[in-house]
Amino acid sequence: MAFILLVFVLKSRTFRRWISGQPAVLVQDGKILEHNMKKLRMTLDSLNQELREKNIFNIEEVEYAVLELNGKVSALLKKEYLPVTRKDLGLKGHKQEFPTELIMDGNVVEDNLKYGDVSQAWLMSQLEKRRLSIEEVSYAVKGTNGQFYCDLYQDGVSDPIDEA
């Protein structure tokens, strides 16, 4: 039965819409469509939360927002809020590497040293430059452009915004 239903869904767009539904527009031309929000039983709080998850903290930056079939919100920013790309500036890009996690929870991830083309000596030299020991480091990674980043257990944040 499931196979037959799958065949119908794949062959017929109308049947697919009937079974799965279709995306719903929440923001159009920068205007919130309250009627659609109400029909979907979606609140402004949940819309704002979905946008924040996409690093959009100001709803005024949104040209279109769509509630997808999977329950997530997709958003298109207004032209003036779109990020500038290297292509926009006519700059050539360089090859990026996949980030390699080197230290997690104060322990060296030995497998990643082997597979990430990173030596123990390189890692130790990066820590020595910063006058750090492995035990002081909560998390360390060799990033996409080869840079070394580390986060310490003792961050020195004197007044955290929200301490759990």
Side-chain angles (χ1 to χ4, degrees), residues 13-37:
R13 185 179 172 126
T14 305
F15 191 70
R16 188 168 43 246
R17 275 196 216 143
W18 186 72
I19 294 292
S20 301
Q22 60 185 3
V25 178
L26 304 173
V27 177
Q28 181 176 339
D29 297 325
K31 307 289 186 216
I32 300 169
L33 302 179
E34 290 85 0
H35 177 73
N36 287 359
M37 300 264 303

Side-chain angles (χ1 to χ4, degrees), residues 77-127:
L77 294 175
K78 294 177 180 175
K79 287 181 191 177
E80 58 268 26
Y81 296 106
L82 290 173
V84 176
T85 65
R86 296 182 67 82
K87 184 178 178 183
D88 293 336
L89 299 174
L91 301 174
K92 300 240 185 229
H94 63 282
K95 184 177 186 264
Q96 292 187 325
E97 301 174 14
F98 193 79
T100 305
E101 294 172 328
L102 304 172
I103 299 174
M104 294 189 77
D105 300 320
N107 298 305
V108 175
V109 183
E110 297 291 339
D111 287 342
N112 288 358
L113 291 179
K114 292 177 200 168
Y115 302 116
D117 196 27
V118 177
S119 69
Q120 180 88 22
W122 182 85
L123 173 59
M124 296 311 292
S125 73
Q126 294 299 314
L127 293 174

Side-chain angles (χ1 to χ4, degrees), residues 3-17:
F3 179 74
I4 293 170
L5 186 62
L6 178 63
V7 169
F8 280 123
V9 166
L10 290 174
K11 298 273 183 190
S12 170
R13 185 179 172 126
T14 305
F15 191 70
R16 188 168 43 246
R17 275 196 216 143

Side-chain angles (χ1 to χ4, degrees), residues 20 40 56 96-97 138 146 152 154 164:
S20 301
L40 295 165
I56 302 169
Q96 292 187 325
E97 301 174 14
S138 168
L152 306 178
Q154 298 297 321

Side-chain angles (χ1 to χ4, degrees), residues 37-53:
M37 300 264 303
K38 187 175 180 181
K39 192 164 86 171
L40 295 165
R41 293 185 176 97
M42 187 169 193
T43 66
L44 288 171
D45 288 333
S46 58
L47 174 60
N48 281 322
Q49 176 184 346
E50 289 284 334
L51 293 173
R52 284 191 304 270
E53 287 177 9

